């Protein structure tokens, strides 16, 4: 699967894009990298082989976050810097 998390670092919103042939729904969790606290949850819209969506990070404290992208039994992790 091809995954993009941008812009990185993010200030207001971050876009998550996933390309694959799996028709299963895609969910996203955004965790604080230091504490593990869950800050945001979202479901990406799936259109053919692409799933994408935006997460508002405006109110989050500056720091490092982990983006967990989950689809069925598959999980992908990306690091996100909130500026």
């Amino acid at each position: 699967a091809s995954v993009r998390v941008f812009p990185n670092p993010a200030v207001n919103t971050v876009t998550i894009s996933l390309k694959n042939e799996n028709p299963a729904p895609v969910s996203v969790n955004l965790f604080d990298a230091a504490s593990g606290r869950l800050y945001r949850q979202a479901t990406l819209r799936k259109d053919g082989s692409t799933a994408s969506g935006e997460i508002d990070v405006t109110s989050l404290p500056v720091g490092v976050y982990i983006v967990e992208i989950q689809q069925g039994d598959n999980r992908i992790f990306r690091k996100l810097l909130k500026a």
Side-chain angles (χ1 to χ4, degrees):
S2 169
V3 175
R4 292 181 63 215
V5 177
F6 61 94
N8 194 356
V11 177
N12 299 315
T13 60
V14 61
T15 300
I16 296 141
S17 175
L18 169 76
K19 285 188 177 186
N20 66 15
E21 298 304 321
N22 187 338
V26 180
S27 62
V28 176
N29 295 314
L30 185 66
F31 296 95
D32 181 292
S35 70
R37 177 180 169 194
L38 176 64
Y39 275 97
R40 297 280 187 272
Q41 290 182 296
T43 301
L44 301 186
R45 294 178 309 278
K46 187 84 175 175
D47 182 16
S49 63
T50 303
S52 64
E54 287 187 347
I55 297 178
D56 183 355
V57 296
T58 307
S59 63
L60 297 186
V62 169
V64 179
Y65 294 84
I66 301 298
V67 179
E68 176 191 33
I69 300 125
Q70 185 172 356
Q71 186 178 34
D73 293 334
N74 299 322
R75 289 182 180 182
I76 299 168
F77 297 90
R78 294 289 185 268
K79 193 179 287 186
L80 172 69
L81 181 63
K82 166 63 169 81

